[in-house]
Amino acid sequence: MSEGNGAVVRTGTLLRRMRARDPEEEHRASTPLELLFDLTFVVAVSQAAAQLHHALAEGHFGAGLAGYAAVFFAIWWAWMNFTWFASAYDTDDVPYRLLTLLQMAGVLVLAAGVPSAFQHGDFALVVVGYVIMRIAIITQWLRAATEHPEGRPAALRYAAGIVVVQVGWIARLWSTGVWAPLTFVLLVAAELAVPAWAENHGRATSWHPEHITERYSLFTIIVLGEVILASLSAVQSAVSAHGLSTDVLLIVLGGLFLVFALWWIYFTGSDARLSTLHTALTWGYGHYVVFAALAALGAGLEAALDATEHHAHLSARGAGLAVAVPTAVVLVVLGVLHRMTGTGAVGHALLVAVGVLVVLALGFSAPVLGVGGAVLGIGLTVAATLAANLTVFCHRAAPVH
């Protein structure tokens, strides 16, 4: 038995000793297990976006957004923790696979509890699913601490920190009144603090930068796919009921421009350079907003289609803003992340700011332009923002003669 260059040490057909993966390992790609793991999160993202769509259609903006932000945090944080752990300690043996299966079961339980969380404020099933996922990752960290002595201090801090916070989530189920939102914010802050605390003492976890950026890129594709699927479902319903109207056609075209342009914008910066822990954490945490806003865009497009068909208690301006606001948020956050990592084509702050202001203005102008016209305008504006940034980017990258 031998260990070379940080690779996995094999101790048998079904069991491998857990060692840190080499952060400079070549051709490190997502495994089939990671891709299967991601598919379970499609269900959870779909449930969260569907409930946000219903809340927007009923005009319950505040409650809908608060519930969505809470549920999406649980989805994203569990996914992110697995992703970074797998990047450092993926052994792909039987215990590792079974614990991954437990996490997949947990996300399905969480997804099943999403409707109750939105409709009745009952987060019990969401918390149960979340804690199941966290128990699995605690076990993984304890295994890493046992089998990889060099990384034991960080692994034990991860395990201890996660345990403490999970006790807090369970206790929070009995909180009422003003304590409910207050304890939620405090526990989210505690969750976010655990990695920084664990990594800043002793030897850092050997996650693989290129593998991490690929995993985030793949999850972005999943979320964009959910936007397309949700929009298609709404279009089919509208066409079946009243045929293909001008507004529906304009929303479809605007939605296509949005999905394609936002995909292009994201993937011009998918090779982010995560050179320091601070950069990696900021980049990783910033994706909560990116993923949540992209999924919310799908809900907004559905709500806009409902409004054009008079199936929603939603004004034209509300429908326009349901598309404009998440689009603007994605542009702002991606612009910041691209500038921070020195990648991407939307790092020009002025161009991004102009694009965001036009997008929001179009959302406000939906009563004048019509919902379809506003959505198409938003899609064209994002495409124009991308084109302008690409032009600047190519000009700067051109060799000087």
Side-chain angles (χ1 to χ4, degrees):
M1 180 175 65
S2 63
E3 179 179 3
N5 203 28
V8 169
V9 179
R10 297 179 181 274
T11 58
T13 304
L14 303 179
L15 181 66
R16 301 171 181 173
R17 189 173 182 182
M18 185 170 276
R19 293 291 194 187
R21 299 288 293 263
D22 181 0
E24 298 181 1
E25 179 183 344
E26 295 184 0
H27 310 298
R28 179 76 190 277
S30 298
T31 66
L33 180 61
E34 288 175 315
L35 299 179
L36 179 63
F37 180 81
D38 288 354
L39 287 179
T40 60
F41 281 82
V42 174
V43 179
V45 171
S46 175
Q47 284 291 310
Q51 294 302 317
L52 177 61
H53 160 227
H54 294 318
L56 293 176
E58 294 298 320
H60 301 154
F61 289 95
L65 289 173
Y68 177 73
V71 168
F72 206 95
F73 174 81
I75 297 168
W76 163 78
W77 189 243
W79 177 87
M80 178 171 166
N81 276 243
F82 168 80
T83 296
W84 287 72
F85 178 87
S87 187
Y89 286 110
D90 183 0
T91 57
D92 199 30
D93 58 1
V94 171
Y96 181 89
R97 290 187 175 191
L98 291 178
L99 286 170
T100 303
L101 174 63
L102 180 61
Q103 292 180 80
M104 292 165 64
V107 75
L108 294 177
V109 172
L110 185 154
V114 169
S116 294
F118 271 83
Q119 296 165 19
H120 310 294
D122 181 4
F123 282 83
L125 198 54
V126 169
V127 170
V128 169
Y130 182 72
V131 172
I132 289 173
M133 290 187 284
R134 305 300 275 155
I135 287 173
I137 201 67
I138 290 166
T139 307
Q140 295 278 36
W141 279 117
L142 290 175
R143 182 185 175 193
T146 301
E147 300 182 18
H148 183 232
E150 295 87 348
R152 182 172 298 156
L156 289 176
R157 281 192 293 272
Y158 268 111
I162 296 171
V163 167
V164 170
V165 180
Q166 300 326 293
V167 172
W169 285 119
I170 295 171
R172 182 185 174 273
L173 291 174
W174 285 271
S175 64
T176 57
V178 69
W179 288 105
L182 179 60
T183 52
F184 176 81
V185 172
L186 291 174
L187 287 168
V188 166
E191 290 276 22
L192 296 175
V194 168
W197 172 65
E199 297 284 353
N200 271 320
H201 296 76
R203 179 172 176 171
T205 306
S206 58
W207 42 269
H208 193 290
E210 287 76 18
H211 176 246
I212 289 292
T213 55
E214 183 198 29
R215 296 289 293 121
Y216 276 76
S217 297
L218 291 173
F219 201 77
T220 301
I221 291 290
I222 286 175
V223 178
L224 287 173
E226 176 55 35
V227 174
I228 295 172
L229 182 61
S231 301
L232 174 62
S233 176
V235 169
Q236 286 179 325
S237 177
V239 171
S240 297
H242 303 290
L244 184 61
S245 66
T246 301
D247 263 340
V248 170
L249 180 60
L250 292 177
I251 291 172
V252 169
L253 291 174
L256 284 173
F257 276 117
L258 279 171
V259 169
F260 193 73
L262 291 174
W263 166 83
W264 196 327
I265 287 170
Y266 183 89
F267 280 91
T268 59
S270 61
D271 57 341
R273 295 187 288 273
L274 309 181
S275 54
T276 67
L277 177 62
H278 177 267
T279 300
L281 289 178
T282 304
W283 186 86
Y285 289 179
H287 272 73
Y288 164 71
V289 182
V290 174
F291 293 154
L294 285 175
L297 174 60
L301 288 169
E302 284 189 275
L305 284 163
D306 286 346
T308 62
E309 297 299 309
H310 307 291
H311 292 160
H313 303 290
L314 187 64
S315 66
R317 177 168 288 128
L321 290 175
V323 176
V325 171
T327 301
V329 169
V330 173
L331 285 176
V332 169
V333 177
L334 285 182
V336 172
L337 294 181
H338 283 184
R339 284 179 64 86
M340 182 187 70
T341 57
T343 59
V346 290
H348 195 288
L350 179 60
L351 292 175
V352 173
V354 170
V356 167
L357 290 175
V358 174
V359 164
L360 292 175
L362 286 166
F364 275 106
S365 302
V368 177
L369 301 173
V371 176
V375 173
L376 178 60
I378 292 169
L380 291 173
T381 299
V382 175
T385 302
L386 168 64
N389 275 276
L390 283 173
T391 301
V392 172
F393 179 80
C394 292
H395 177 73
R396 289 177 176 174
V400 178
H401 299 287

